[in-house]
Amino acid sequence: VGQAYAGAKFGVEVDLWKNFLGRLEKAQLKNMEYSLKKAQLVEKIEVGSAVSSTRKLYWSIVANRMQKKSMTALVAQVQKQKAQSEKRYRAGVGEKGDVYRSDSQLSDTKAALTGLEYQYQNMLINLKKMIPSYNGKELSFPIVNIDQNMGL
């Protein structure tokens, strides 16, 4: 019985010397305070990064919509040119190569328009991933007048 008591006394004394005047608790408290500050800074950085990424994606969507508007107008113009070249060819004034060239141009611009639409759909998917509360909802972005919005 005496040995067990001496062992317990020695363990308590060692613990007291280890934690002399609360040094261990103070160190642990400081570590916890530093960990809290670090976590707050990391959170602030992550929020800033998320906001920045969302803004970048939003302006990419706006630019894509503006490109689509321009490309749609270009498709209409190329269709007119194709009709004119076909008309000239039928009248015997134009060449068949002009008709083929305008047909190729029309195909290229339509393909570019399809590519823009594909990019737009991918950007919407990425936006829905970034902002989960929008998942499953229909998102649409109107074509904006960038000069008016940017004060140009």
Side-chain angles (χ1 to χ4, degrees):
V1 175
Q3 277 184 333
Y5 178 72
K9 182 178 177 185
F10 176 73
V12 170
E13 285 180 12
V14 169
D15 286 343
L16 286 175
W17 280 107
K18 263 179 139 177
N19 191 18
F20 183 69
L21 300 176
R23 284 187 194 163
L24 192 59
E25 281 89 15
K26 287 178 188 176
Q28 287 174 339
L29 183 61
K30 280 190 178 187
N31 282 340
M32 287 181 186
E33 287 173 355
Y34 290 136
S35 294
L36 178 63
K37 285 181 184 179
K38 179 183 173 186
Q40 289 170 340
L41 289 174
V42 167
E43 180 184 11
K44 189 176 181 181
I45 290 169
E46 287 175 355
V47 167
S49 175
V51 167
S52 176
S53 297
T54 305
R55 281 186 183 149
K56 181 179 176 183
L57 184 58
Y58 170 77
W59 285 110
S60 294
I61 290 171
V62 169
N64 178 279
R65 294 293 84 189
M66 291 176 69
Q67 286 176 327
K68 182 182 178 192
K69 181 181 176 184
S70 299
M71 194 61 69
T72 302
L74 185 61
V75 166
Q77 187 64 34
V78 170
Q79 284 174 335
K80 287 179 188 177
Q81 286 177 348
K82 181 183 176 197
Q84 288 174 353
S85 65
E86 287 174 343
K87 187 177 176 182
R88 282 193 305 270
Y89 177 71
R90 277 182 267 145
V93 180
E95 297 179 7
K96 190 69 173 172
D98 291 337
V99 175
Y100 290 141
R101 191 175 9 265
S102 59
D103 190 38
S104 174
Q105 234 180 355
L106 181 61
S107 296
D108 285 346
T109 52
K110 282 185 176 181
L113 191 61
T114 302
L116 286 173
E117 190 58 36
Y118 176 76
Q119 289 174 354
Y120 175 71
Q121 293 301 325
N122 280 338
M123 286 187 274
L124 285 183
I125 289 169
N126 289 337
L127 185 64
K128 287 179 181 181
K129 286 179 183 176
M130 291 173 99
I131 307 171
S133 61
Y134 283 118
N135 207 3
K137 295 181 182 175
E138 183 67 29
L139 293 177
S140 64
F141 292 91
I143 296 175
V144 247
N145 183 348
I146 196 81
D147 296 337
Q148 181 182 3
N149 287 345
M150 298 300 286
L152 300 174

